[in-house]
Amino acid sequence: MHLTVALLRMGFKVGTIDLDGRQKTFSRYMENRNTWIAENGIKLKMPEHRTIQRSGKDSSIEATAEDEETLRHTVKELSVRNSFVVVDCPGSDVPLARYAHALADTLITPINDSLVDLDVIVQMETNALVDLDAIRDTTFREPGVYTSMVMTQRKLRMQKMRSGMDWIVLRNRLSSLADKNKAALSDMLGRLSKVMGFRLTSGFGERVVFRQLFLSGLTVLDLRDQGVEYKLTMSHVAARQEVRGLLAALWLPKVEERLDRI
Ligand SMILES: Nc1ncnc2c1ncn2[C@@H]1O[C@H](COP(=O)(O)OP(=O)(O)OP(=O)(O)O)[C@@H](O)[C@H]1O
Ligand SMILES: [Mg+2]
């Protein structure tokens, strides 16, 4: 949501796709934003949004083919009028999400700053978990389930479209305290990025504001706009900086020169 609004504020037209047609959190956020605009009479920028429902076909082969066709068609349709298309994937490994990975020029993978979440990226030698210091030198056993999926889709993309993918791993919900766990994970992700072929960005802190704004459909980027009554704190300023940091890290055309508009 923050990525979308950042691009909108930079003056780009943006298309958005919610691939989780059951949970629809991304779509609900958009609905809340529309409601807020209607109730407050303040014109906030909106993307052109689509929610995709999974195929209901019985045969899994037919269902996968239909899902891929729906997504391909939606991305194509949105690309005609928009500079960027932002796709939100469900957490589960479903054909729609897999195919979306193959279509992505840029893939952003947020991971919570915890060894539990890291397991989907890489499986490590288990004895290393006994001592945090040892994590720094631990050997990686094999790619985690998520990384394996990304590697497969990346390869397919290279074969079919002759195009690479910029994969970014973003650490999310970082604690404000400098603890040992945080430092060990940071070291390890740095090492891992070279092996797995992703880029690591500075990430996002654990902040109440990221949980609070859903019902209004606002993002931290909207809070200083005229007519938006919101008491700004230091945490909001820092959150805004984090969003800007993410955009600055992306290799997207014309974005760097517009960072000051966020
Ligand atoms: N940096 C953050 N600070 C505070 N809360 C956060 C932060 N990032 C995410 N959250 C909260 O964590 C919960 C899950 O976030 P989010 O929906 O972004 O995760 P997700 O991985 O996309 O989940 P899903 O797999 O269901 O799509 C939400 O309640 C969200 O507000
Ligand atoms: Mg999600």
Side-chain angles (χ1 to χ4, degrees):
M1 193 66 192
H2 280 74
L3 174 63
T4 302
V5 174
L7 291 168
L8 287 169
R9 292 180 76 89
M10 288 174 164
F12 296 112
K13 286 192 167 170
V14 183
T16 46
I17 302 177
D18 188 352
L19 289 188
D20 197 338
R22 195 184 63 85
Q23 195 172 297
K24 290 196 239 176
T25 311
F26 196 26
S27 308
R28 297 277 304 129
Y29 212 130
M30 294 299 173
E31 282 168 31
N32 294 343
R33 191 170 173 88
N34 265 327
T35 307
W36 192 92
I37 292 170
E39 283 177 359
N40 291 275
I42 294 165
K43 212 132 183 58
L44 296 177
K45 290 189 171 172
M46 285 296 294
E48 192 178 354
H49 186 74
R50 301 279 183 277
T51 312
I52 291 188
Q53 295 296 340
R54 277 163 74 177
S55 164
K57 286 208 157 62
D58 288 338
S59 142
S60 70
I61 294 175
E62 283 177 24
T64 302
E66 188 175 65
D67 280 347
E68 292 191 359
E69 183 47 37
T70 311
L71 181 56
R72 192 166 32 236
H73 177 266
T74 310
V75 169
K76 206 169 163 192
E77 180 232 332
L78 287 175
S79 303
V80 174
R81 290 177 298 275
N82 298 285
S83 304
F84 296 104
V85 178
V86 177
V87 183
D88 185 34
C89 284
S92 50
D93 183 14
V94 292
L96 260 178
R98 239 172 285 152
Y99 188 56
H101 280 71
L103 289 184
D105 299 314
T106 303
L107 169 64
I108 304 171
T109 305
I111 59 163
N112 287 341
D113 213 45
S114 133
L115 288 167
V116 179
D117 288 76
L118 195 68
D119 194 57
V120 299
I121 304 285
V122 70
Q123 291 183 9
M124 295 177 289
E125 287 302 332
T126 44
N127 59 2
L129 305 187
V130 179
D131 176 7
L132 272 180
D133 282 328
I135 292 178
R136 289 201 164 82
D137 315 307
T138 189
T139 39
F140 304 128
R141 249 194 341 222
E142 55 183 295
V145 281
Y146 180 74
T147 303
S148 300
M149 187 273 279
V150 172
M151 284 171 154
T152 306
Q153 298 309 322
R154 218 178 193 179
K155 212 190 278 170
L156 278 176
R157 180 182 162 83
M158 193 43 102
Q159 284 164 358
K160 284 193 188 162
M161 301 179 226
R162 299 249 163 266
S163 177
M165 169 208 283
D166 183 22
W167 182 18
I168 286 152
V169 171
L170 178 137
R171 295 170 74 197
N172 190 19
R173 312 191 75 158
L174 292 161
S175 76
S176 52
L177 308 165
D179 63 65
K180 232 173 154 184
N181 185 54
K182 196 170 155 187
L185 272 171
S186 177
D187 270 21
M188 183 156 58
L189 279 168
R191 212 150 46 88
L192 199 58
S193 68
K194 296 186 186 80
V195 184
M196 306 286 182
F198 59 76
R199 299 196 293 127
L200 202 58
T201 64
S202 46
F204 287 71
E206 168 76 35
R207 298 182 191 282
V208 175
V209 70
F210 287 129
R211 270 176 273 146
Q212 243 174 13
L213 294 171
F214 172 75
L215 287 180
S216 63
L218 298 173
T219 68
V220 291
L221 309 178
D222 305 303
L223 301 182
R224 279 202 308 215
D225 284 8
Q226 214 168 17
V228 181
E229 303 289 330
Y230 207 93
K231 199 170 168 297
L232 283 175
T233 66
M234 284 303 285
S235 178
H236 297 136
V237 178
R240 204 185 178 101
Q241 270 311 114
E242 287 169 346
V243 179
R244 194 176 289 146
L246 170 61
L247 271 292
L250 300 178
W251 290 334
L252 298 179
K254 296 199 179 117
V255 161
E256 202 180 352
E257 66 216 47
R258 301 188 190 186
L259 282 176
D260 58 340
R261 299 199 203 172
I262 299 179

